[in-house]
Each structure stands twice: as C-alpha cells, then as structure tokens.
Amino acid sequence: GEGIVKVVGEVGSGKTMLCRMLERELPDECEIVYVANPRLLPDAVLHAIATELGLAAAPTDSKLKVLHALQDYLLARHAAGKRVAS
C-alpha cells in the first residue's frame, strides 16, 4: 500500500507495457507518477516526481525543500482519501 515501484529490465522486455496495464487497473483515487528516465541521480528523481505532481520545485531547490513539498502534498492527498503511486 505504500512506496515506490521501480521496474527494470532489458530493452523490449515489456516494462512500459506493464506500467500502462497497471495504470489502467488502478482505481481512480490513485494518482500515478511515471518517471521514465532510469539514469537520474537520487536528488533528480525527487525533483522529477515533484514536477510530475505539479509541485513548484525548481531544479535549484534543496533536497530538503523538495522532500517537504512532497511530504505536504502526500499528506494532503492521503487526508483526501487519495493515493499516489510512483
């Protein structure tokens, strides 16, 4: 019920298809974040997730600032009965 899912595999093994199938099966109250670039550094992944969620996170923002923005967003979504999958 919580966390981030990372799908890895060889080119052409069906990773994107699996993600698209999962997206179709998840309930409407689940918000999905899809980060397709596997070579991002950890801080860049946080920024990418924040950007995908529409949060105001500039590339120059500190990791702590982005984490706080993500935490606030996720807590608000949880309070509204929604889920976020990344």
Side-chain angles (χ1 to χ4, degrees):
E2 296 180 28
I4 294 175
V5 176
K6 180 178 181 178
V7 179
V8 296
E10 296 295 323
V11 173
S13 63
K15 300 177 299 292
T16 301
M17 180 182 67
L18 177 65
C19 290
R20 287 182 180 153
M21 290 174 62
L22 177 62
E23 186 176 1
R24 282 195 301 265
E25 296 299 320
L26 289 172
D28 290 338
E29 65 269 6
C30 189
E31 186 174 351
I32 298 161
V33 176
Y34 180 67
V35 179
N37 186 345
R39 299 193 186 272
L40 293 176
L41 296 174
D43 289 357
V45 170
L46 288 175
H47 280 81
I49 292 170
T51 299
E52 288 294 317
L53 291 171
L55 304 179
T60 56
D61 286 347
S62 70
K63 178 180 177 180
L64 184 60
K65 184 174 181 177
V66 176
L67 280 173
H68 279 248
L70 283 170
Q71 182 179 16
D72 291 345
Y73 181 83
L74 294 173
L75 288 172
R77 299 302 289 166
H78 179 72
K82 305 288 184 177
R83 300 173 91 182
V84 178
S86 174

